[in-house]
Amino acid sequence: MDNLSFGLTMTVVGVGGTFLTLWILSLVVDLLKKVFPLKAQDEAEKKA
């Protein structure tokens, strides 16, 4: 494997890993929003 092939492989793996990590973090944030909803915002919407 020459340097170009290795570099491109590492780039693809790095970008894929980054997107996978961001996707997992977004799932965790969504889960936390469902577990701990904002009460003050809900009450303000009911009054309006």
Side-chain angles (χ1 to χ4, degrees):
M1 181 181 282
D2 60 338
N3 284 338
L4 180 62
S5 298
F6 180 73
L8 289 175
T9 303
M10 286 290 102
T11 301
V12 169
V13 169
V15 169
T18 300
F19 281 127
L20 179 66
T21 303
L22 288 172
W23 179 68
I24 291 171
L25 283 173
S26 70
L27 290 178
V28 169
V29 168
D30 287 340
L31 179 67
L32 287 173
K33 283 181 181 179
K34 289 181 181 179
V35 172
F36 303 109
L38 291 175
K39 302 289 185 188
Q41 186 179 14
D42 293 339
E43 292 173 1
E45 290 175 358
K46 290 178 183 175
K47 290 180 182 178

